[in-house]
Amino acid sequence: MIVHRYRHKYTFPSIIILLILAFSGLVWGYFNMRQNTTVPRGSNMSVLGIELDQTKDYIDLHKLEKNGISFVYLRSTQGKSYFDDNYLLYRDQLQGTNLNFGTIIAYSDETSNQDQYQYFVNKVGTNTGSLPVMIVPATNHLTKSYWKRMGEFAQMINNLGKRTMIAGDYRYHNYFPEGTRFLYTGASLKDRRHYAFWCYTQNGRVKNIDNLDRDVTMFAYIGTNTQYAQLYSQEKNTIEEVKCIQKQFHKF
């Protein structure tokens, strides 16, 4: 008996076309993702910021502001001899934008606190921005005595009427003045309670901004937009006012 098998002459070409389209869509999605601004994985944080220093020239800050970036941290001094070439330039340019900014100090274990403090004041002055002054270790040899000295240095910055934030583990918080904030630097955010900001990548990018297509250090605020606006708006709060707002947030 002869069996008649129905064959659709368009079936095989249609399958091939669908596979090509599906593959093309995956490739397009992959490259489109790589071109977008780098965001924190697995979170809905929307208040994002970046670090700028002398390795990043000619950044259009107005365009940056329109591309979803809310704040900028500027690297300033390290020890008693290094001062970032672009700090003053970017600080002046930021005044014409709605971007909040903060100042980074790289804390050296090779220079006395007084020398580092005096150098910082001479170079930066008191206009450090509305964000906390970020103090980051300039060494990988992080002993208890190092944290203790850094805590004493943070107190000196506090005495200028400035809030401070430490790029380090919260377990060392007892070495620092009351109200000191902490920057989380791990790959994934596990504990939100003790940290104010998260440095979620040092290899990020910002979409459509020249010279920010790779190797960008990026931050996210750990909290809501409302909390960020109340704590870190360009209308500067005193340290006591900020402590009061922080205590209100911690009640929830």
Side-chain angles (χ1 to χ4, degrees):
M1 182 176 65
I2 299 174
V3 177
H4 294 280
R5 295 183 181 179
Y6 178 76
R7 295 186 182 183
H8 198 301
K9 65 180 180 178
Y10 298 113
T11 300
F12 184 72
S14 298
I15 292 174
I16 295 299
I17 291 171
L18 288 173
L19 288 174
I20 292 173
L21 289 174
F23 179 75
S24 299
L26 289 173
V27 171
W28 179 87
Y30 173 76
F31 283 102
N32 186 61
M33 180 184 68
R34 288 178 64 91
Q35 292 173 358
N36 286 334
T37 297
T38 308
V39 297
R41 292 183 179 180
S43 74
N44 58 355
M45 298 175 187
S46 59
V47 183
L48 306 181
I50 67 169
E51 176 184 327
L52 289 179
D53 59 23
Q54 63 189 30
T55 67
K56 299 285 189 296
D57 290 322
Y58 309 114
I59 305 302
D60 187 331
L61 298 177
H62 291 283
K63 195 173 180 181
L64 183 69
E65 182 180 357
K66 294 176 182 178
N67 276 272
I69 299 301
S70 300
F71 63 89
V72 173
Y73 260 103
L74 304 178
R75 188 167 288 271
S76 65
T77 61
Q78 177 175 324
K80 61 177 182 179
S81 59
Y82 170 83
F83 182 55
D84 192 273
D85 291 340
N86 282 347
Y87 180 85
L88 296 177
L89 173 66
Y90 281 133
R91 187 176 70 176
D92 289 344
Q93 292 178 356
L94 280 163
Q95 304 309 310
T97 73
N98 291 318
L99 292 165
N100 292 332
F101 85 93
T103 297
I104 298 175
I105 303 173
Y107 181 76
S108 173
D109 60 346
E110 300 176 352
T111 309
S112 72
N113 281 352
Q114 185 58 42
D115 284 346
Q116 293 189 71
Y117 171 81
Q118 196 59 55
Y119 186 69
F120 172 76
V121 172
N122 289 342
K123 290 293 186 179
V124 175
T126 59
N127 183 13
T128 60
S130 59
L131 300 178
V133 175
M134 186 192 301
I135 306 176
V136 304
T139 178
N140 292 323
H141 188 56
L142 303 177
T143 63
K144 289 184 178 180
S145 61
Y146 179 87
W147 290 115
K148 183 175 183 296
R149 288 183 58 226
M150 185 191 280
E152 293 167 351
F153 181 76
Q155 183 62 66
M156 298 171 77
I157 301 299
N158 272 180
N159 292 342
L160 282 173
K162 304 296 179 181
R163 295 162 280 163
T164 53
M165 178 167 64
I166 306 302
D169 198 312
Y170 178 78
R171 62 181 170 170
Y172 297 109
H173 72 278
N174 288 329
Y175 292 111
F176 295 91
E178 182 183 357
T180 298
R181 311 303 286 159
F182 284 81
L183 174 76
Y184 188 78
T185 58
S188 59
L189 185 60
K190 298 178 181 179
D191 187 358
R192 295 169 176 254
R193 295 174 301 164
H194 300 306
Y195 296 91
F197 290 81
W198 177 21
C199 178
Y200 62 91
T201 184
Q202 292 182 302
N203 189 32
R205 72 179 311 277
V206 181
K207 183 179 181 179
N208 296 331
I209 305 295
D210 292 340
N211 300 321
L212 292 182
D213 56 339
R214 61 188 178 91
D215 299 332
V216 180
T217 296
M218 304 188 72
F219 309 100
Y221 171 66
I222 303 173
T224 67
N225 289 358
T226 300
Q227 291 171 337
Y228 172 82
Q230 288 182 317
L231 283 169
Y232 304 118
S233 66
Q234 290 189 356
E235 296 179 2
K236 299 176 178 60
N237 298 305
T238 66
I239 290 179
E240 292 304 318
E241 288 172 338
V242 170
K243 286 181 181 178
C244 181
I245 294 172
Q246 289 171 348
K247 287 179 180 179
Q248 291 297 318
F249 290 158
H250 289 164
K251 291 180 180 178
F252 300 99

